[in-house]
Amino acid sequence: TTLLLCSYCVLPYSNHFGIVTIMASEGASGAASGGQLEEKVDLTAECDAKIPQAESLAESGQLQQALALLAGLEKKCRVGNDNASLTRVCETSLQLCKDAADDEALIATLQTLATRRSQKTAAVRALVNKAIPWCLSEGYMPLEVPANQIEARDKLVVALREITDGKIFLEAERARLTRALATIKEQEGDVAAAADILQEVHVETYGSLSKKEKVEFILEQMRLTLAKQDYVRAAIVAGKVSRKYLLEESVEEYKVRFYTLLAEYHRHEKDALELAKDFYAIYSTPTILKDDAKWKEALQSAVLFLALSPYGNEQQDMMNRITADPLLEQLPSSQALIQLMLKQEIINYPLVQQAEIESWPAFTVGDLAQHWKEIFHRRIIQHNIRVVSKYYKRIHGARLAQLLGLPVDRLEEEISMMVSDGSVFAKIDRPKDIVRFSAAQMPEAVLTSWAADIDKLLDLVESTTQLIQKENMTQ
């Protein structure tokens, strides 16, 4: 029989019948027998003796010997369930590597200690928290380091992210490290990679982060996805933010940032009504109302994009609410525009304020400036057609084109579009050049309407007769 010895157990090995027997050595730490709690060994005294020895070795240039000494001590502490001593040994190992300016040894030691079999949660947390200040400043920004140390800092960030992956007790640290790595990629000019890295973290499921931290992280995800021009994912990310939470006073800055980013998305989608809602939400923020320049710009944009929006109940409701706002009086052009759109009167194009309106940012900045100018003219035309349809049952096409100041072909095109989207009823008789805005009724419908009118008339006559009789009786 041959005995194979190790530091913790004795393995009597016998090749007779191929049987292997493992017996625990006396005094071994670890799981107790009989399903009892794990035994704990106090190794404080041994740590007090060996840690100074390791520090002395490291100071004399023998870093590997110092790490080897601490590795044996770390194993004893880990198996002996002495978490306090284990944390102390792990932190000392990292500190020795840092003091020796050996970046490769630092990362190797960090990965080795954090991935030990049955490594304690306290030790992993201590390792991560010890190393984070060496690569991150306050919050999530990468630490400012000389150019020759940037690569080592970035490697440390990547190593820490790998260690924190899948560990619930390190969710907050992983979120910080992920944002830092995304910032590093963005500084290198790789926006797509930065956006992809940040999307890996589903921060809305992290219970260890506050609502404010989650919103800040999601806003950063929105910003990078928009910078990457991934508008579909940007809309998905925006849906993770609670609009109700943004109404709280403590998050006004996040509210403005959120709706500013959302406006960028809706501008790409050419959704004027949603843009009006975004700018109105920015305008209604108390911090914005304290700055005259900011609230005037936001309210002006909200009015303009409402005028550019398709006609509907929601658009009309917003227009009426903004009209009742006393601050609108400080923007005469915006007030005049919204009043024109609410009146049931034909609007002459170009408007009196046309030159001033076309000097607004939406008509001058960006590649959509010409698109918004065309839409603005179209909304004026559609408004005029709706007004005419309320006052005329039928009208000659040439006369209608004259009233609206349009060529006949453009008039037919606009009427056809409005009929297609259901905003107005119309039929064009080209041979007779007549536009009908009232639908022809079936005989049954005419008879039903006539009968209803007769019923109302008879009810009115009966009530009048009763009042006359009552008056005669009182006299």
Side-chain angles (χ1 to χ4, degrees):
T1 302
T2 304
L3 297 181
L4 300 179
L5 302 179
C6 68
S7 58
Y8 297 103
C9 61
V10 180
L11 304 180
Y13 173 78
S14 174
N15 56 10
H16 184 60
F17 299 111
I19 299 174
V20 177
T21 307
I22 300 177
M23 297 184 300
S25 63
E26 295 181 3
S29 300
S33 61
Q36 300 174 3
L37 296 176
E38 293 182 345
E39 299 175 2
K40 182 177 179 180
V41 180
D42 188 2
L43 298 169
T44 305
E46 188 172 353
C47 290
D48 291 340
K50 289 188 177 180
I51 287 178
Q53 295 178 16
E55 292 174 347
S56 300
L57 289 172
E59 290 175 0
S60 63
Q62 302 179 43
L63 179 61
Q64 296 302 323
Q65 289 82 348
L67 293 177
L69 178 62
L70 292 177
L73 184 58
E74 180 272 338
K75 188 171 186 180
K76 286 186 178 181
C77 295
R78 174 163 44 87
V79 176
N81 301 306
D82 189 354
N83 288 346
S85 298
L86 176 63
T87 300
R88 183 180 168 193
V89 171
C90 291
E91 290 179 345
T92 303
S93 300
L94 291 186
Q95 189 63 52
L96 294 181
C97 295
K98 181 65 176 177
D99 294 341
D102 192 337
D103 297 319
E104 292 184 3
L106 174 63
I107 294 175
T109 303
L110 176 64
Q111 292 174 334
T112 301
L113 293 176
T115 56
R116 290 283 195 194
R117 182 181 179 184
S118 302
Q119 184 60 281
K120 307 302 180 184
T121 300
V124 178
R125 183 186 289 111
L127 287 167
V128 172
N129 290 333
K130 181 71 174 179
I132 280 181
W134 297 336
C135 59
L136 302 186
S137 59
E138 292 295 329
Y140 60 89
M141 293 302 297
L143 189 67
E144 294 293 336
V145 295
N148 59 346
Q149 297 181 16
I150 291 178
E151 184 180 356
R153 178 201 64 185
D154 296 350
K155 287 182 178 180
L156 182 57
V157 171
V158 172
L160 287 170
R161 279 192 76 241
E162 292 175 354
I163 292 171
T164 57
D165 187 20
K167 294 179 173 60
I168 297 177
F169 58 92
L170 291 174
E171 286 177 341
E173 288 79 2
R174 178 167 176 77
R176 286 183 61 196
L177 290 164
T178 302
R179 286 196 63 182
L181 186 58
T183 303
I184 291 169
K185 293 295 182 182
E186 188 178 10
Q187 290 173 351
E188 294 174 354
D190 195 349
V191 177
D196 292 339
I197 289 170
L198 215 59
Q199 289 166 18
E200 294 175 3
V201 178
H202 301 283
V203 72
E204 66 277 7
T205 64
Y206 283 13
S208 58
L209 296 177
S210 65
K211 287 184 178 180
K212 185 177 291 188
E213 291 173 323
K214 291 180 183 179
V215 169
E216 185 177 1
F217 196 96
I218 292 173
L219 290 178
E220 189 67 11
Q221 287 180 326
M222 283 184 64
R223 185 184 67 81
L224 287 175
T225 50
L226 289 171
K228 185 186 173 183
Q229 297 184 347
D230 188 352
Y231 295 100
V232 175
R233 190 173 293 277
I236 296 172
V237 173
K240 298 177 181 179
V241 179
S242 170
R243 273 56 166 184
K244 184 178 179 181
Y245 174 70
L246 293 176
L247 297 176
E248 297 182 8
E249 294 182 2
S250 59
V251 292
E252 291 177 0
E253 179 187 352
Y254 295 148
K255 177 185 176 183
V256 174
R257 283 174 55 191
F258 172 74
Y259 282 107
T260 302
L261 292 170
L262 206 57
E264 183 179 345
Y265 166 74
H266 290 138
R267 190 177 286 109
H268 172 267
E269 297 295 315
K270 302 178 182 178
D271 193 334
L273 182 59
E274 292 299 327
L275 277 168
K277 293 179 184 178
D278 296 337
F279 284 110
Y280 188 72
I282 294 172
Y283 160 74
S284 60
T285 307
T287 53
I288 297 297
L289 290 171
K290 294 177 183 178
D291 189 326
D292 285 350
K294 290 182 178 180
W295 74 254
K296 285 181 179 179
E297 181 183 358
L299 183 57
Q300 186 183 80
S301 299
V303 170
L304 176 59
F305 284 109
L306 272 178
L308 295 172
S309 303
Y311 179 83
N313 294 333
E314 192 171 9
Q315 181 231 25
Q316 292 293 300
D317 176 66
M318 279 194 70
M319 280 190 171
N320 283 290
R321 282 190 283 120
I322 291 178
T323 304
D325 193 331
L327 291 177
L328 186 63
E329 296 178 359
Q330 299 184 35
L331 301 172
S333 298
S334 300
Q335 187 178 32
L337 174 60
I338 204 168
Q339 287 175 350
L340 283 174
M341 299 300 291
L342 287 173
K343 285 182 179 179
Q344 298 302 313
E345 297 177 2
I346 291 177
I347 302 174
N348 294 321
Y349 187 87
L351 281 65
V352 176
Q353 308 87 359
Q354 187 74 20
E356 182 180 352
I357 291 174
E358 290 189 350
S359 67
W360 293 353
F363 290 144
T364 57
V365 179
D367 54 351
L368 293 176
Q370 187 60 36
H371 166 77
W372 293 128
K373 289 180 180 179
E374 295 173 359
I375 292 296
F376 183 68
H377 190 195
R378 173 163 291 169
R379 297 298 179 235
I380 298 295
I381 294 171
Q382 292 176 348
H383 170 83
N384 292 340
I385 292 174
R386 280 194 302 273
V387 171
V388 171
S389 69
K390 291 184 177 180
Y391 293 103
Y392 289 86
K393 288 188 176 181
R394 62 180 187 171
I395 185 174
H396 283 284
R399 174 59 178 160
L400 180 56
Q402 181 185 6
L403 285 173
L404 304 186
L406 293 173
V408 176
D409 293 343
R410 177 68 186 276
L411 176 64
E412 288 187 2
E413 178 186 350
E414 295 296 338
I415 292 176
S416 300
M417 291 179 62
M418 294 181 71
V419 170
S420 297
D421 61 29
S423 58
V424 72
F425 176 86
K427 285 188 176 182
I428 301 176
D429 188 345
R430 278 184 170 174
K432 296 181 180 179
D433 191 28
I434 294 177
V435 181
R436 291 184 174 85
F437 289 109
S438 60
Q441 291 184 326
M442 298 295 291
E444 294 83 357
V446 175
L447 183 60
T448 302
S449 177
W450 178 82
D453 291 341
I454 293 297
D455 288 341
K456 289 181 181 179
L457 177 62
L458 291 176
D459 290 339
L460 182 60
V461 170
E462 183 178 358
S463 60
T464 304
T465 303
Q466 291 176 352
L467 290 173
I468 293 173
Q469 291 177 354
K470 181 179 180 182
E471 188 68 21
N472 290 333
M473 291 176 65
T474 55
Q475 293 179 355

